[in-house]
Every structure is written in structure tokens, then in C-alpha cells.
Amino acid sequence: MKLDRILPFARILLEKAVHRGDITIDCTMGNGFDTVFLAGLTGESGHVYSFDIQKEAIQTTAAKLKAENLQECCTLIHDGHQHLNKYIRKEHSEKVTGAIFNLGYLPGGDKSVITQADTTISAIEQLFELLAPEGLIIIVIYHGHPGGSAERDALMDYVQNFPQQKAHILKYGFINQSNNPPFIVAIEKRR
């Protein structure tokens, strides 16, 4: 298949936006794959903030970072992404070049603990203010679980009404697949 699948496409976008020494945010740490990926992009001179409300996610991610010797450039935060302004250092304000959300629930975890539209939108609004010009927010929207369609609909309403003079917003996804395939919304802050 020549078309990029959803998660590889998210990483392609992040690779275009994030460089050594940059500041990034993993808004939904989960099993730590995106945190490790971002740390690989930013290197030791950059920094990754990573959020999750589940202790299991923190432990799994910490182990992955340690195995890759990347723990020094990451801050793992046991709190919801809607509180990110409490944790991002002031000197990193308006310097974030990439951020990612994987919405839904922790794969292999408690499926009753899901992301919510109100907290996600709050986090997006805070993140947008922290973004450097041409910085990207990548939102991978999983919506095939109970509560997922409500979050999807609220997010789509929010991004479709976002002022175009502030951001370019892209939607990327497969439209002929069954079982509510995930899709990406990417927000690029305009210069």
C-alpha cells in the first residue's frame, strides 16, 4: 500500500515539524510509543512533556524511556492534558513545535477510562498558545468505542470553526473502511 496509514502519517507530520533541541508534548502518553518517538526527534538538547491520568501509563513509559536511555529529556506527568499550563515551563512558552493526542482509551487498559471532548479541547486551546509558528498539533481520533462518537463530533465542530487566519487544519483518514477507522486532524499554527 502506497498510502500512509494513520499512525505512520502522524509521525511523518511530526518529523517535518520537530527537530533536535525542540520542545514537544505527548498529551496522551498511553503505552509510551509517541513519547519515545518525540524524545528521539528532540534529542538530549530538547524536551518532551508527556501526560496521562493512569499510573500504569507512567510506569510503562518510564521503562521504555529508560531502555532507550531517553529519560533525561522527558518529564512524565501524572495528570490530565487539560492541566498542561501548570507544568510547561515559562521558557518553553511559544516554543513547542509538535504535540500529539491519541484519543480514546489506553490500549490494553481499562476501556471505561476514555478521553473527553471538553478536556481535549481545553488542552488544544492551551497548546495552541504554546506553539511556535508552524508548530503542529496532531490529533489521532479513535471513535469506535462508547463515548468516542460524542468526542469526535465535538472536536470536529471545534476545529471546523477555528479561525483560518490563525491555523491551517487538515483531516486525513480512510473513508471506505469498516469499524469506525481512526483519522487524523492536524493543526498548524500560521506564521
Side-chain angles (χ1 to χ4, degrees):
M1 184 160 122
K2 295 194 189 300
L3 294 173
D4 291 308
R5 296 183 191 277
I6 296 302
L7 295 178
F9 185 68
R11 290 188 171 192
I12 288 167
L13 292 174
L14 288 169
E15 286 171 337
K16 289 180 179 185
V18 178
H19 305 287
R20 293 267 181 231
D22 284 357
I23 309 303
T24 60
I25 302 174
D26 183 351
C27 297
T28 51
M29 184 185 317
N31 287 314
F33 295 109
D34 288 329
T35 301
V36 170
F37 177 74
L38 289 170
L41 293 177
T42 64
E44 292 177 14
S45 60
H47 199 80
V48 180
Y49 293 92
S50 190
F51 291 82
D52 210 290
I53 60 171
Q54 297 180 76
K55 193 169 194 163
E56 175 185 342
I58 305 288
Q59 294 166 340
T60 301
T61 302
K64 281 186 170 75
L65 289 168
K66 187 173 183 178
E68 299 288 329
N69 199 28
L70 293 169
Q71 68 271 24
E72 296 301 318
C73 62
C74 296
T75 301
L76 305 184
I77 301 159
H78 188 206
D79 201 353
H81 49 233
Q82 72 272 23
H83 301 293
L84 63 88
N85 271 343
K86 290 189 340 187
Y87 299 97
I88 309 303
R89 295 194 303 249
K90 289 201 184 296
E91 65 266 22
H92 293 161
S93 183
E94 297 183 37
K95 294 184 179 169
V96 174
T97 57
I100 188 163
F101 293 81
N102 277 288
L103 302 181
Y105 56 83
L106 175 65
D110 182 352
K111 292 183 179 181
S112 70
V113 179
I114 61 170
T115 54
Q116 303 288 329
D118 59 339
T119 60
T120 300
I121 290 170
S122 174
I124 292 167
E125 289 173 343
Q126 293 171 59
L127 261 175
F128 192 78
E129 297 305 315
L130 295 168
L131 280 182
E134 296 185 339
L136 288 178
I137 301 170
I138 309 298
I139 310 161
V140 182
I141 302 175
Y142 293 88
H143 54 103
H145 58 281
S149 59
E151 182 177 33
R152 174 202 63 212
D153 293 347
L155 282 168
M156 291 309 295
D157 183 58
Y158 173 74
V159 297
Q160 287 171 344
N161 290 296
F162 203 91
Q164 72 177 24
Q165 62 273 24
K166 290 185 174 185
H168 302 286
I169 301 180
L170 165 82
K171 180 181 174 188
Y172 179 86
F174 294 95
I175 59 174
N176 68 336
Q177 294 181 349
S178 59
N179 299 321
N180 302 302
F183 62 93
I184 288 174
V185 169
I187 302 170
E188 179 185 10
K189 189 172 189 175
R190 293 180 73 140
R191 286 196 164 276

